[in-house]
Amino acid sequence: MSTFHEKVVYQIYPKSFKDSNGDGVGDLKGIIEKIPYLADLGVDVLWINPFFISPQKDNGYDIANYVEIDPLFGTMEDFEELIAVTHKYKMEIMLDMVLNHTSIEHDWFQRALKGEKKYQDYYILREPKADGSHPTNWVSKFGGPAWAPFADTGKEYLHLYDVSQADLDWRNPDVRKELFNVVNFWLEKGVKGFRFDVINVIGKDEVLIDAEDGIGKSLYTDRPIAHEFIHEMNQESYGRYPNIMTVGEMSSTTIENGIAYSNPENEELSMVFSFHHLKVDYLDGEKWSKTPFDFMELKELLNDWQEGMSKGNGWNALFFNNHDQPRAISRFGDPVNHFEDSAKLLAQTIHLLRGTPYVFQGEELGMTNPEFQEITDYVDVETHNAYKELQEKGLPHEEIMEIIKEKSRDNSRTPMQWTHEKNGGFTTGEPWIKLAENYHEINVEKERNEGTIFNFYKKLIQLRKEMPVISEGNYRGIMMEHPSVYSYVREHEGEQLLVLNHFYAEPVTIEIPEEFLTRPSQYLIGNGTKRALTASLELGPYETIAFYFEVDKKEAKNS
């Protein structure tokens, strides 16, 4: 059995977690200070967003040195202390590796600019077309063309993301060797896990061509060679160590590829992040829009990925929140009228699925979107770009702000709310971004003294460790046509779990399928009244409830 199946990962956005020196930016010493808190929650692995040397054009995802720590966050000694302290508390560190591209301030790119052929071959450089237009018509994911002039050489470099992030040429064996050395450097420091940023776009073709759709995504996403590269990285680095946990962030991937990346037989990755379920509130596929989320689509996507990955022996990373997403409680729940129930519903829906759950900092308190009133309160470059684009489309300021309040990546990046004191106990200085105003009401101190969300997360984490039906069981969606309830069954060696998740405020009565009424069941966990399973079951606002069955062993063998 794979050790990561019963683990839970806690994601730390270091800039906003805890500031130890009053400069307004969270740091490694701040994380060390809060390790006992995380140990109490019961999480096993701490995924920390990038803290390497970076000009911070894209919040550290533009790396200028992979093996040095940005002074903004501390020193290598701080990192070594962090490893030692987490080890003491039986926790592990997962680092965020951005290996598709480097900052243009990276030494490799700078040496390429100076004319060193070796380093020019590290990047994807091409001549413009005969008519002087870009080498291809691909569009950058941050808007505009995916090509920029490479100094005054007449060539252009590929940047699928920001113009300051130059794509590396993974077809060059020297590049792969350098990157595998980076991974090995951190393994030797005692790191036990890696999250690989946009790793499924590393496999560009040798000959780059125009895209028929004028965007180009299909020409560099999930190419077969990406699997070869990831397998090679596995063999040359983390695959040589026992029990290293890896997760690939997969841009626009498919279930078929998700299985290929994460099926243990392929020796690529432990699991994958896919994002389709977090686009169900995009109007006609457009992120910067305001529309209610499509519950049926959400349920269908979760179900398809669960069933598909289960059948192919792939493994899902389970999440509703991260540093690039709005707060899930503000998105899929009702933090005003049904605060605790909404938070628990979202937690239980995710934690009882098949896969490895990820908790994003503050989620265990029910932290919400901050709903900043002014565009100047937002820091994120993507948000400011969107504001300009929506203005150009003629939308009034008020309407644009309503969209930004719901969709900005800064929604999840506001400082962690530790206490009701100034700046929520995050910093004694001026925070790099404002806090949500509700930190007086929603904070760690108050939640642990009076609240019930933290303890609910704690219980879910504990159940995963104790119950193989949760950590190992198969998945089956049921009652998929129900308009407000997402129900599923987990099964493993004679045990069964029935999970019912009601996503709306109006109470609803559901008819339980006959197969669950013919044998004894017991209430396991929920956010409502503890009660027995009956043929007609009423679910309250945002109620989630799970029932446990021990199936007859003979029946289990025959099924």
Side-chain angles (χ1 to χ4, degrees), residues 124 126-140 144-148 156-160 204-212 214-217 219-220:
I124 298 174
R126 295 289 188 274
E127 301 281 351
K129 290 184 189 140
D131 65 1
S133 61
H134 294 297
T136 69
N137 63 350
W138 298 2
V139 174
S140 156
W147 296 93
E156 300 190 10
Y157 68 91
L158 179 69
H159 64 91
L160 292 181
K204 286 86 171 178
D205 295 345
E206 247 168 316
V207 177
L208 305 180
I209 58 172
D210 275 351
E212 284 178 24
I215 295 169
K217 204 183 278 186
L219 296 172
Y220 57 75

Side-chain angles (χ1 to χ4, degrees), residues 45-315:
V45 179
L46 307 181
W47 156 26
I48 308 175
N49 289 90
F51 49 70
F52 314 107
I53 300 259
S54 164
Q56 296 289 327
K57 294 273 194 303
D58 184 27
N59 274 295
Y61 283 87
D62 47 325
I63 294 174
N65 187 321
Y66 287 107
V67 293
E68 283 189 28
I69 287 164
D70 198 303
L72 191 66
F73 298 112
T75 63
M76 190 60 82
E77 288 70 29
D78 294 339
F79 180 75
E80 286 161 358
E81 185 188 347
L82 175 63
I83 290 277
V85 174
T86 48
H87 187 71
K88 192 176 111 186
Y89 281 93
K90 296 187 169 47
M91 283 189 278
E92 295 167 345
I93 297 293
M94 171 184 274
L95 292 192
D96 207 322
M97 293 279 117
V98 188
L99 305 183
N100 173 66
H101 46 261
T102 70
S103 165
I104 55 175
E105 291 186 25
H106 195 291
D107 186 51
W108 300 340
F109 195 84
Q110 290 300 310
R111 289 174 75 170
L113 285 175
K114 287 177 184 146
E116 288 190 48
K117 177 79 172 67
K118 174 184 172 175
Y119 291 102
Q120 288 183 353
D121 290 345
Y122 274 32
Y123 295 92
I124 298 174
L125 307 181
R126 295 289 188 274
E127 301 281 351
K129 290 184 189 140
D131 65 1
S133 61
H134 294 297
T136 69
N137 63 350
W138 298 2
V139 174
S140 156
K141 292 186 185 246
F142 283 15
W147 296 93
F150 184 68
D152 53 6
T153 61
K155 292 185 174 178
E156 300 190 10
Y157 68 91
L158 179 69
H159 64 91
L160 292 181
Y161 297 87
D162 189 61
V163 68
S164 68
Q165 295 165 307
D167 281 52
L168 288 161
D169 186 358
W170 271 71
R171 287 181 171 273
N172 180 342
D174 291 341
V175 167
R176 299 200 299 277
K177 194 175 173 190
E178 293 264 24
L179 297 175
F180 303 162
N181 285 342
V182 166
V183 176
N184 283 321
F185 172 88
W186 292 106
L187 283 163
E188 283 158 24
K189 287 273 177 200
V191 168
K192 297 290 187 190
F194 297 97
R195 178 259 191 194
F196 293 106
D197 186 62
V198 297
I199 198 69
N200 63 329
V201 304
I202 57 174
K204 286 86 171 178
D205 295 345
E206 247 168 316
V207 177
L208 305 180
I209 58 172
D210 275 351
E212 284 178 24
D213 65 359
I215 295 169
K217 204 183 278 186
S218 63
L219 296 172
Y220 57 75
T221 305
D222 288 330
R223 306 303 272 179
I225 199 165
H227 291 282
E228 291 176 34
F229 290 154
I230 295 170
H231 174 71
E232 185 187 348
M233 177 163 66
N234 175 310
Q235 299 298 289
E236 296 295 325
S237 60
Y238 53 84
R240 299 181 302 153
Y241 289 71
N243 304 328
I244 301 296
M245 183 171 170
T246 54
V247 57
E249 182 199 26
M250 300 296 165
S251 169
S252 310
T253 194
T254 60
I255 293 170
E256 183 189 10
N257 274 296
I259 291 166
Y261 290 120
S262 62
N263 184 323
E265 288 174 16
N266 297 347
E267 297 179 316
E268 293 185 35
L269 300 165
S270 312
M271 66 191 85
V272 297
F273 281 118
S274 68
F275 295 90
H276 305 282
H277 66 294
L278 294 175
K279 295 178 179 175
V280 296
D281 54 359
Y282 290 16
L283 187 62
D284 301 324
E286 170 53 49
K287 170 177 173 171
W288 298 98
S289 58
K290 184 171 170 161
T291 187
F293 78 98
D294 183 333
F295 173 69
M296 294 307 280
E297 193 188 2
L298 174 70
K299 172 163 131 160
E300 202 174 297
L301 283 163
L302 288 171
N303 184 67
D304 288 352
W305 274 82
Q306 282 286 307
E307 289 195 338
M309 293 286 271
S310 191
K311 281 174 191 152
N313 200 25
W315 197 254

Side-chain angles (χ1 to χ4, degrees), residues 532-551:
L533 183 63
T534 49
S536 280
L537 195 71
E538 183 178 296
L539 298 175
Y542 296 95
E543 183 170 5
T544 179
I545 190 165
F547 294 96
Y548 172 78
F549 306 80
E550 191 158 355
V551 184

